[in-house]
Amino acid sequence: MRHERAIREAVPRPLVDRFGRTATYLRLSVTDRCDLRCTYCMSENMTFLPRRDILDLEELYRLSRIFMARGVRKIRITGGEPLVRKNIMTLFAMLGADLKRGMLDELTLTTNGTLLDRHADALYAHGVRRVNVSLDTLVPERYQAITRWGRIERVFAGLEAAQAAGLRVKINAVAMRGAFEQEVDDLIRFTHERGMDLTLIEEMPLGEGRHDRRESFLSLSQLRETLSERWTLQPLALKSGGPAHYVRVAETGGLLGFITPLSCGFCAACNRVRVSATGDLYTCMGDEGRVGLRGSLRASDDDMPVDALISRAVAMKPEGHAFSITKTRVEGIGRTMSVLGG
């Protein structure tokens, strides 16, 4: 195919923005659909995109190859919930082959875990070695309330299957005021006793959540101080290629990460870009700007027009996001995480 030839012949050119940051990490959304309706992300009655607007698996793979040719070394598959995408293992197989050829350093996945038990072995076979699983509580009733209709036992089955397949698991939990503050110690014990890492994430003003974010927002800087009264938190220089800052919990030996887009910021060293399932390129999670790649991708087998659009978009990447939550005001964007790619 012409696009494969263009990839082979292209001289690698890193994607560097005007602030000197190099994009080496692509978060690729494969669907806007999800089998849950988490209250901080989606409305209960979502209207999803027509299937014709969603890139097919070959188009998603072609885009991935174009980004690889520009220096992207890590790809994370996201959604919505990526494992609801029909035949998604076909894409993992294609990218896994590139991983084996040395064109990628890592291929990973973010999932809500509800379908992980069905796919864990295949993911490992295709070169995935780490998965992030979103889980905000261990209490079945609270899990169902947060997700609106989820069953936590499906997630537990997915975690068990993932570890049995050889996948390293990291749990992502959105920190919110209230019940979460009473459960965070249990989350630390649960994950670390099972050899899993835990990352806490500040709630970001994204999507169509129906609660008052001014009341629910919990600063992780404050939470970390509170946790240090009960746990010995040993700072680490460890970086996973993402925005988390890690500590080791001396009492458990496990890793605890903090992602703090609002209280501390994480933009200065950003190396990420996001492509939605419709082929829209977002260089910043917290900015409304986007560049549509789908039209050029479908118009021709020539990769150069798409490459040029990517170059222009990255060159104009903003210095930082525009998220803000105060006692009186919330500054955010209306797109859900399903649009932004996890």
Side-chain angles (χ1 to χ4, degrees), residues 313-329:
V314 171
M316 296 305 296
K317 181 174 181 173
E319 187 174 12
H321 64 70
F323 294 146
S324 175
I325 297 179
T326 68
K327 291 182 179 180
T328 60
R329 189 171 183 177

Side-chain angles (χ1 to χ4, degrees), residues 27-230:
R27 297 180 68 99
L28 181 65
S29 173
V30 297
T31 181
D32 65 326
R33 297 170 187 266
C34 187
D35 54 344
L36 302 178
R37 297 291 184 274
C38 294
T39 56
Y40 53 76
C41 179
M42 292 184 176
S43 63
E44 187 168 5
N45 300 307
M46 288 291 294
T47 300
F48 293 108
L49 294 167
R51 295 192 182 278
R52 64 179 179 274
D53 293 346
I54 302 296
L55 298 183
D56 65 32
L57 296 178
E58 287 288 344
E59 291 168 334
L60 289 165
Y61 178 60
R62 180 182 167 195
L63 265 183
S64 299
R65 294 274 299 213
I66 295 172
F67 276 99
M68 281 186 264
R70 296 301 305 273
V72 163
R73 301 294 302 174
K74 175 179 177 178
I75 294 179
R76 179 176 297 279
I77 302 300
T78 69
E81 169 47 47
L83 296 182
V84 305
R85 176 73 191 256
K86 185 178 180 181
N87 298 324
I88 189 58
M89 288 302 123
T90 301
L91 179 61
F92 276 102
M94 291 188 288
L95 291 172
D98 289 331
L99 183 70
K100 293 177 182 177
R101 286 193 287 265
M103 297 175 65
L104 283 173
D105 295 330
E106 189 173 29
L107 175 63
T108 63
L109 165 74
T110 292
T111 173
N112 63 30
T114 60
L115 301 174
L116 195 51
D117 59 337
R118 303 181 192 177
H119 298 290
D121 289 330
L123 288 167
Y124 189 90
H126 296 318
V128 176
R129 294 295 177 264
R130 295 193 304 134
V131 295
N132 289 0
V133 178
S134 300
L135 181 63
D136 302 321
T137 180
L138 301 173
V139 179
E141 295 79 12
R142 184 163 178 259
Y143 179 82
Q144 188 171 31
I146 291 172
T147 62
R148 290 195 172 96
W149 54 60
R151 293 168 48 222
I152 200 169
E153 58 267 28
R154 295 180 62 190
V155 182
F156 291 155
L159 296 176
E160 184 176 345
Q163 291 191 301
L167 297 170
R168 183 175 175 182
V169 176
K170 179 165 73 72
I171 299 297
N172 289 338
V174 176
M176 301 173 68
R177 289 198 179 278
F180 175 85
E181 295 174 275
Q182 309 306 316
E183 294 183 46
V184 63
D185 292 323
D186 290 335
L187 277 168
I188 292 172
R189 294 187 191 96
F190 174 86
T191 53
H192 292 179
E193 286 173 359
R194 290 161 178 76
M196 298 182 288
D197 300 333
L198 172 65
T199 293
L200 308 180
I201 306 171
E202 285 180 341
E203 183 185 11
M204 288 174 278
L206 288 165
E208 302 178 17
R210 290 295 182 261
H211 61 279
D212 189 340
R213 299 185 195 273
R214 294 169 299 176
E215 298 296 327
S216 63
F217 176 70
L218 175 62
S219 166
L220 288 188
S221 297
Q222 296 176 11
L223 180 61
R224 181 168 173 171
E225 291 181 11
T226 302
L227 288 174
S228 66
E229 297 172 1
R230 304 190 295 271

